[in-house]
Amino acid sequence: IDYSNGLSAKANVYWTEVFKILIKEDKIKDRNIVTNLLQSLLNNWKKPHLDWHVRLLELFQPTKDELIENQSTLFSILGTGQPSLINYAIRSIKSIIKHNQFDNEAFLNNLPIIFSNEKAVKSILEALDMICLLYTSPSPRDRTRYRMPSSA
């Protein structure tokens, strides 16, 4: 298939509209599509294809519970090196960081890789704010304790 004439972009627009209609009419009942789309972001596909999957995820508006269930995938997306994917992952992680099932340790273990990506400055700044939030706010599991490790 020759994509030089913009066929791929036109197909993405068409299928995005199809998904909008299906979502609006509540025709897609299986929410596993959220998990599958998140996992697809880990594939070594071209940027336009991956960006289209991000747009689809945004159309499906994953719930906080869906994001918590898939937080390990979100953490893995941080290592893709793709700024648009990293931005999406950081936005999603930010929305669940206060959830009582959020895995602080896994997040902090996966986060350093984005600091070497000079094209992810916005995500790096967001991540720094999130680290401050983790260490200065009460733990959602135990509101009487702060998250700062005792060794700090």
Side-chain angles (χ1 to χ4, degrees):
I1 298 173
D2 179 14
Y3 291 111
S4 62
N5 65 0
L7 181 62
S8 180
K10 290 178 186 174
N12 284 350
V13 170
Y14 172 80
W15 283 108
T16 299
E17 290 304 314
V18 168
F19 275 102
K20 283 181 182 178
I21 292 167
L22 292 172
I23 292 168
K24 183 179 178 183
E25 295 179 1
D26 201 26
K27 300 288 185 188
I28 301 175
K29 304 286 186 200
D30 188 355
R31 294 294 294 183
N32 282 326
I33 195 165
V34 170
T35 296
N36 293 331
L37 283 168
L38 283 168
Q39 291 173 350
S40 76
L41 299 180
L42 297 172
N43 289 315
N44 190 23
W45 293 336
K46 292 187 178 184
K47 183 182 181 318
H49 192 94
L50 293 168
D51 287 347
W52 182 60
H53 281 220
V54 168
R55 287 192 301 278
L56 289 177
L57 277 162
E58 290 168 344
L59 288 176
F60 280 100
Q61 299 176 346
T63 65
K64 290 184 181 191
D65 287 338
E66 288 171 329
L67 293 174
I68 281 293
E69 285 177 24
N70 291 286
Q71 63 183 311
S72 62
T73 302
L74 289 170
F75 301 153
S76 294
I77 292 169
L78 297 175
T80 62
Q82 295 274 351
S84 60
L85 302 183
I86 294 168
N87 289 339
Y88 175 77
I90 289 291
R91 284 193 314 271
S92 298
I93 293 167
K94 187 175 183 179
S95 74
I96 59 171
I97 200 163
K98 292 184 179 182
H99 194 283
N100 65 353
Q101 293 178 345
F102 184 75
D103 189 343
N104 301 342
E105 186 175 337
F107 170 63
L108 293 172
N109 286 337
N110 283 276
L111 191 59
I113 193 146
I114 72 167
F115 292 106
S116 63
N117 190 327
E118 61 189 42
K119 294 182 179 179
V121 173
K122 182 177 178 183
S123 290
I124 292 169
L125 293 173
E126 282 290 331
L128 291 171
D129 284 344
M130 292 163 61
I131 292 169
C132 289
L133 180 66
L134 282 176
Y135 285 120
T136 59
S137 65
S139 167
R141 293 184 189 104
D142 181 358
R143 294 281 180 201
T144 62
R145 294 181 48 209
Y146 284 82
R147 301 181 196 205
M148 184 62 115
S150 58
S151 62

